[in-house]
Amino acid sequence: MNSFHHLLMKSYAKMHKTVMSKATERGLTAGQPKILEFLKEKGCADQKTIALHCEIEAATVGSILLRMERTGLVFRDRADEDRRAVIVRLTAEGKKAAEEAEKIFGTSEEKALSGFSDGEKEQLRILLQRIYDNLKLSEDIQ
């Protein structure tokens, strides 16, 4: 079982398990680490943008954000430029959790890429981006 798709899916599953084992120790649930990472990077975003970037269904993002809001990690606010739009921002506690998520991702990447040269890491990043772009393009065409 060394087919490309099998190895890619196994690698994703193992990376997800590695990240989530540490994230759950910190009280985070599935989906929360990548939303924290995204909001830390962007500052704020609406639910649809979060869903698109994180590759999570919009309804699922809504549920995740509700849990995050209840635990004090995010808050929803009206956008200055369009008072009808609702945006999501990190709270002070959410910023701390985002820092923790960033550490978890970093440690997990270090484990996964142990023994890779900087050039190999960059090449892998480029190839994975191309795979994603190819699949996204074929999805958009259909």
Side-chain angles (χ1 to χ4, degrees), residues 85-137:
V86 176
I87 58 171
V88 180
R89 298 181 196 274
L90 292 174
T91 62
E93 192 62 34
K95 289 176 184 175
K96 290 178 193 173
E99 292 290 334
E100 285 295 315
E102 188 174 59
K103 289 176 190 172
I104 292 167
F105 286 133
T107 301
S108 300
E109 285 179 18
E110 284 177 26
K111 286 179 186 177
L113 299 172
S114 176
F116 283 61
S117 70
D118 288 343
E120 289 172 325
K121 291 174 188 177
E122 181 61 14
Q123 183 180 20
L124 180 58
R125 190 195 62 73
I126 290 167
L127 293 172
L128 288 170
Q129 184 65 55
R130 283 178 58 193
I131 291 168
Y132 176 82
D133 292 344
N134 287 343
L135 293 171
K136 182 74 173 139
L137 180 62

Side-chain angles (χ1 to χ4, degrees), residues 35-46:
I35 291 174
L36 288 167
E37 178 184 47
F38 177 71
L39 289 173
K40 181 178 183 282
E41 181 182 316
K42 297 297 180 188
C44 66
D46 61 62

Side-chain angles (χ1 to χ4, degrees), residues 7-24:
L7 289 170
L8 192 58
M9 291 187 330
K10 280 181 66 168
S11 296
Y12 168 77
K14 186 58 75 177
M15 183 65 141
H16 181 74
K17 185 176 180 180
T18 300
V19 167
M20 287 312 301
S21 69
K22 294 296 180 190
T24 55

